[in-house]
Amino acid sequence: MLSIEDETGAMTFRQAALNAAALIPISLAPTLLGIAGRPYFVAAALLSGLLLALSIAAARAPSPKSARRLFLSTLVYLPVLLGVLVANRLV
């Protein structure tokens, strides 16, 4: 959500990049705690890295297209990550 003071969205995209960076250790925590295995770790690292890359790209060049791409990637991120966690637990 854009604020009134942030007409270009630059501050919002920087915050999104910081949040994506904070998600990396959080998403890897199940493996470090022994809850998930190596396949989850690899998938979580790839998904979180992709989300971080998209958020950094959006922060560098704010546009409606990059905002849409980042938004759609966040909609995919969590269900895929949780699906991998469940699949890893079943194997």
Side-chain angles (χ1 to χ4, degrees):
M1 180 166 32
L2 295 174
S3 69
I4 295 173
E5 295 91 25
D6 187 23
E7 293 178 6
T8 64
M11 186 171 63
T12 303
F13 284 124
R14 281 195 305 271
Q15 186 64 42
L18 289 172
N19 289 340
L23 273 176
I24 293 174
I26 300 299
S27 67
L28 299 179
T31 302
L32 302 175
L33 296 172
I35 299 170
R38 173 166 265 155
Y40 170 81
F41 185 87
V42 171
L46 289 173
L47 285 169
S48 298
L50 181 63
L51 186 64
L52 179 61
L54 287 172
S55 63
I56 289 172
R60 287 186 176 167
S63 70
K65 183 179 178 182
S66 62
R68 189 173 298 110
R69 186 180 308 129
L70 182 59
F71 173 69
L72 293 175
S73 68
T74 60
L75 292 179
V76 172
Y77 172 80
L78 190 58
V80 171
L81 190 65
L82 292 177
V84 171
L85 184 62
V86 169
N88 182 256
R89 193 73 173 160
L90 296 175
V91 174

